[in-house]
Amino acid sequence: MKKYIITLTLCFGLFLTNVPNVWSQLSIGGKPLSFSSNINLDEAPVHQLTQFNLAKAEKEDEQDDLNGLPPRFGYPNEVNLNMNNSGSWNTLASGDKIWRLSIESPGARSINLIYDAFWLPDDATLYIYNDARDYVIGGFTSRNNNSAKGNSPGFATGIVRGDKITLEYFEPKDAEHGEISISSIVHGYRHLPHDAFLTRDYEDSGDCHVNVNCSEGWGWENEKNGVALIIVDYGTRWCSGSLIITSMYDKTPYFLTADHCLKGLPVDLDAETNRNASVWQFYWGYEALACSNPGSEPGFHSTTGAILVANRFDTDFALMRLVEDPKDLPNYTPYFPGWTNTNSVNDLGGVGIHHPYGDIKKISTYTETPVSGTFHNHLANGFWVFDWAETSNGHGVIEGGSSGSPLFNHAGLIIGQLTGSELFPQCGIENNYFYGKLAESFSGNPAIRRSLHHFIKPTCVANKVVSSHVIDDARNFYASNKISSQKKIAGFSFVEFRAPNIVMNQGFRVTDGARFIAINQGCSSSFHDDGSIEYVDPNVDKVLTREEINSQLDLEGDYLSCFPNPFREETTINYRVNELGPVQLAIYNSSGQRIDMLVNKNQDAGDYSFNYNSENLISGTYMARLITSEGVKTIRMSIMK
């Protein structure tokens, strides 16, 4: 497969941690030049914000909670600070230059920045650090540019602890001048992730939550790596969400979250009118390494920026196309969960994985069968409704900040995203929780920007002519033979052509720093990194394994059983084969991942038994699945140790 990147002004650098357990962005690491003892610079000018009005903010937060908005952790302060009107320049003996600006917001727990212009020339670097110089993010470079100079859609840099920070920008001699223009300073005052588990002096996530690496998360190791914490609303609020795979299995970085997470300043995001989410940030792998809360804050990886491609109020979904791709993060492997649009669920249960109040990643478990329900004035019966179950390490629920997080069925497929609850969500109360149905979001609205299926199950045609310009948008085009275009790709755009033959006719052009990728690959089948092939059932929009493709018929009757069940150490699995042919008998965990293959061979017709020992398994629910030439039979097995 050949891939050609025609115009790519957004690239990605290495991610290095300068000090332990810090919030770090996609960057090259390293340290600012001023940290070197042989560099003598003028004192950085300080821009000081006025005293923060906590009482006013708390009243606003109470109203936000009543309105169901995502929880706010920071207060935005509009400014106009750039390298021409703020800070100071120093010219070094080499002719290189350094620009520095300090920002102080008295009493802030943290400060993060929003930019209305961001562009760096080659070999330039930007670092941001706190007053004690023990908390550093950067260096940001030209690889973080998401547009051409003068066309910036905006940018954001991450949280830095403390009430005073310094920006330090290095620009080489004779380099084109960069653009750094700060439009908002966010004063962090509550719901900070660090405080969420080290102190309990305000309304952070509840004690009932279960860390994702407790035993409840065993078997969900893949799915958790698709879930991220999000900073939304111009750097001031928390939500959650997940990557989601397409039927082409091309790992386009589509990200599913909630429509109500799009609310914010200066205007709400909308896929038809305002798609620019360039200042959104996504935090990956922010979790405890074990079941207990850590003694110090865990590290994480982050990416910045997205384009909204579809959203709908009725089922409260939003689908983003990420700008910085988490696949480019070193030392982190994102997972792209599958999905199903079937409007029914079974009684095998599943989980929700989320970041309540911006806390480290949690897992909640449901064992009852979700039913259809209606959330306030949204689509009638457009939501899955249920309550969470108590498990061995807690009684995980959801809270503010969990909004948009995925609901997984027992097989690890996304069936919805979180909207809210009947009562105010908190530990220790019975409640009904509502997740917008993926089945209804999939094709419930004919408009392209109001349904998921145009993006996660895109159409593949023999020949595709791109007949209109693509401006400030994210689009993928697929063809089994040829794609041709004579149109313009411009602005804040991320476009892919995938076909064996790609023709750029006269008039085709990529401008304003837009990103365009041409990949010589058909779309009849999709190959994974491990060489396996997966398919999509043409009748049911669901990710299927090869085994499921070969056995669509559920066997009726006593083809498979085990006794005793539940069991502690050993059980006897009995199965029946009615005709000569291939037989598979395997054990799966609660997420649908195969953990043991017991039989995989041709067998004659007859009755068979297999003694199964549980010494390598923990307590929990498992599934035994028999696949024969006639069909498939699955039973649940419970291990009680």
Side-chain angles (χ1 to χ4, degrees):
M1 180 179 67
K2 295 181 180 179
K3 177 189 287 189
Y4 301 100
I5 301 178
I6 306 301
T7 297
L8 178 56
T9 59
L10 174 68
C11 302
F12 309 104
L14 296 175
F15 165 70
L16 301 175
T17 303
N18 300 310
V19 293
N21 302 323
V22 297
W23 292 76
S24 302
Q25 248 177 298
L26 198 91
S27 58
I28 63 169
K31 296 181 179 180
L33 279 177
S34 66
F35 283 27
S36 174
S37 58
N38 60 357
I39 297 292
N40 185 19
L41 300 175
D42 296 337
E43 190 73 20
V46 179
H47 179 87
Q48 188 173 67
L49 298 180
T50 58
Q51 189 69 35
F52 176 64
N53 189 334
L54 180 60
K56 176 176 178 291
E58 288 176 339
K59 287 183 178 180
E60 294 174 355
D61 293 336
E62 290 176 2
Q63 188 60 47
D64 286 349
D65 290 340
L66 292 174
N67 293 334
L69 291 177
R72 186 172 64 178
F73 71 89
Y75 198 90
N77 298 271
E78 292 188 11
V79 295
N80 177 25
L81 305 176
N82 57 57
M83 293 189 291
N84 295 322
N85 64 17
S86 306
S88 64
W89 286 93
N90 284 89
T91 301
L92 306 180
S94 61
D96 300 332
K97 296 180 179 180
I98 293 178
W99 175 80
R100 297 167 76 229
L101 170 66
S102 292
I103 295 172
E104 186 172 10
S105 187
R109 296 178 183 233
S110 69
I111 296 174
N112 55 296
L113 303 176
I114 304 298
Y115 306 78
D116 55 11
F118 187 94
W119 182 88
L120 305 183
D122 291 341
D123 299 321
T125 55
L126 170 68
Y127 291 91
I128 304 175
Y129 49 89
N130 65 351
D131 207 33
R133 295 191 171 193
D134 59 2
Y135 201 109
V136 182
I137 61 174
F140 305 106
T141 69
S142 59
R143 295 179 176 181
N144 293 99
N145 296 341
N146 58 15
S147 69
K149 184 177 180 180
N151 290 281
S152 178
F155 191 66
T157 50
I159 291 171
V160 177
R161 304 290 171 180
D163 65 358
K164 185 178 180 181
I165 65 171
T166 298
L167 292 82
E168 183 169 321
Y169 168 69
F170 169 83
E171 189 171 271
K173 177 184 178 181
D174 300 327
E176 187 175 2
H177 288 307
E179 292 181 326
I180 297 176
S181 179
I182 303 167
S183 59
S184 180
I185 301 169
V186 179
H187 173 109
Y189 65 99
R190 69 167 192 166
H191 295 327
L192 296 180
H194 182 76
D195 297 317
F197 60 84
L198 288 185
T199 64
R200 295 281 173 182
D201 58 352
Y202 61 94
E203 60 275 27
D204 52 35
S205 68
D207 291 320
C208 65
H209 287 290
V210 179
N211 284 328
V212 74
N213 286 317
C214 292
S215 59
E216 289 87 339
W218 296 351
W220 299 94
E221 290 85 357
N222 286 331
E223 287 79 8
K224 73 172 185 178
N225 287 334
V227 177
L229 171 65
I230 326 170
I231 297 183
V232 302
D233 193 13
Y234 283 78
T236 63
R237 300 180 187 272
W238 299 121
C239 271
S240 301
S242 174
L243 293 167
I244 186 168
I245 196 69
T246 74
S247 60
M248 299 295 181
Y249 296 91
D250 51 15
K251 295 186 178 179
T252 297
Y254 285 133
F255 189 89
L256 181 68
T257 186
D259 177 74
H260 73 266
C261 292
L262 306 179
K263 309 301 180 185
L265 298 173
V267 293
D268 296 345
L269 293 177
D270 182 81
E272 291 185 343
T273 60
N274 180 29
R275 294 188 281 267
N276 183 355
S278 60
V279 300
W280 279 35
Q281 291 190 287
F282 303 82
Y283 295 163
W284 309 93
Y286 182 56
E287 61 195 55
L289 298 181
C291 186
S292 59
N293 285 330
S296 60
E297 185 176 17
F300 76 104
H301 305 269
S302 80
T303 57
T304 300
I307 293 177
L308 177 64
V309 296
N311 68 297
R312 186 181 174 201
F313 169 83
D314 290 350
T315 55
D316 194 42
F317 89 86
L319 186 69
M320 324 291 292
R321 199 280 188 198
L322 302 185
V323 172
E324 293 182 345
D325 195 327
K327 296 193 299 292
D328 295 317
L329 290 166
N331 304 316
Y332 186 76
T333 303
Y335 181 73
F336 291 74
W339 47 270
T340 174
N341 80 332
T342 54
N343 201 357
S344 62
V345 291
N346 56 36
D347 61 353
L348 295 178
V351 301
I353 301 176
H354 54 106
H355 288 274
Y357 283 123
D359 205 343
I360 52 180
K361 194 175 295 178
K362 307 293 183 178
I363 187 167
S364 303
T365 303
Y366 69 94
T367 56
E368 64 183 70
T369 302
V371 297
S372 296
T374 304
F375 188 79
H376 297 312
N377 57 339
H378 292 264
L379 179 69
N381 293 319
F383 295 79
W384 296 121
V385 188
F386 59 91
D387 198 0
W388 299 106
E390 185 173 3
T391 57
S392 57
N393 290 292
H395 193 159
V397 293
I398 58 93
E399 293 186 273
S402 303
S403 290
S405 59
L407 182 66
F408 295 103
N409 69 7
H410 74 282
L413 304 180
I414 295 175
I415 61 174
Q417 77 291 327
L418 176 63
T419 292
S421 59
E422 189 171 50
L423 305 175
F424 188 81
Q426 56 185 312
C427 293
I429 64 169
E430 293 185 1
N431 207 342
N432 284 322
Y433 296 91
F434 294 77
Y435 282 75
K437 290 181 179 179
L438 190 142
E440 296 290 348
S441 302
F442 186 75
S443 56
N445 188 299
I448 291 178
R449 299 294 179 179
R450 301 298 184 224
S451 296
L452 287 171
H453 79 276
H454 299 284
F455 301 95
I456 65 174
K457 193 185 178 185
T459 301
C460 181
V461 297
N463 296 292
K464 174 69 177 178
V465 177
V466 179
S467 57
S468 60
H469 299 307
V470 180
I471 301 174
D472 294 330
D473 199 359
R475 297 290 302 273
N476 282 14
F477 298 91
Y478 302 87
S480 59
N481 182 27
K482 183 176 73 172
I483 295 177
S484 60
S485 175
Q486 59 180 21
K487 297 299 181 178
K488 177 174 65 174
I489 300 172
F492 188 40
S493 294
F494 295 79
V495 179
E496 292 187 13
F497 288 178
R498 289 177 178 263
N501 301 296
I502 297 174
V503 180
M504 290 80 161
N505 294 312
Q506 185 175 2
F508 177 86
R509 59 198 186 280
V510 181
T511 64
D512 300 333
R515 178 182 179 182
F516 169 68
I517 299 176
I519 300 176
N520 290 119
Q521 176 188 355
C523 46
S524 58
S525 63
S526 301
F527 292 82
H528 289 253
D529 294 338
D530 62 3
S532 64
I533 305 175
E534 287 183 329
Y535 306 85
V536 172
D537 182 348
N539 299 312
V540 179
D541 293 309
K542 172 184 175 183
V543 175
L544 296 174
T545 65
R546 190 195 306 252
E547 292 169 351
E548 290 173 312
I549 289 292
N550 293 333
S551 53
Q552 295 293 299
L553 181 64
D554 287 335
L555 294 172
E556 298 291 340
D558 190 23
Y559 280 80
L560 179 66
S561 64
C562 69
F563 183 84
N565 187 21
F567 65 98
R568 292 183 181 273
E569 296 179 356
E570 189 173 86
T571 189
T572 299
I573 300 175
N574 303 297
Y575 65 97
R576 186 170 76 249
V577 179
N578 281 341
E579 59 185 35
L580 173 66
V583 175
Q584 287 187 350
L585 176 61
I587 306 297
Y588 295 78
N589 62 22
S590 60
S591 71
Q593 297 167 321
R594 190 173 68 204
I595 58 175
D596 265 330
M597 176 65 76
L598 307 183
V599 179
N600 187 17
K601 61 183 179 181
N602 286 324
Q603 285 189 309
D604 292 320
D607 293 323
Y608 296 86
S609 294
F610 192 97
N611 291 328
Y612 187 69
N613 193 295
S614 68
E615 61 181 353
N616 295 322
L617 301 179
I618 63 169
S619 297
T621 299
Y622 297 84
M623 290 171 286
R625 179 172 297 164
L626 173 69
I627 299 176
T628 72
S629 58
E630 295 180 280
V632 59
K633 181 71 174 182
T634 302
I635 62 170
R636 296 177 68 183
M637 300 170 21
S638 297
I639 299 175
M640 309 288 290
K641 292 187 176 181

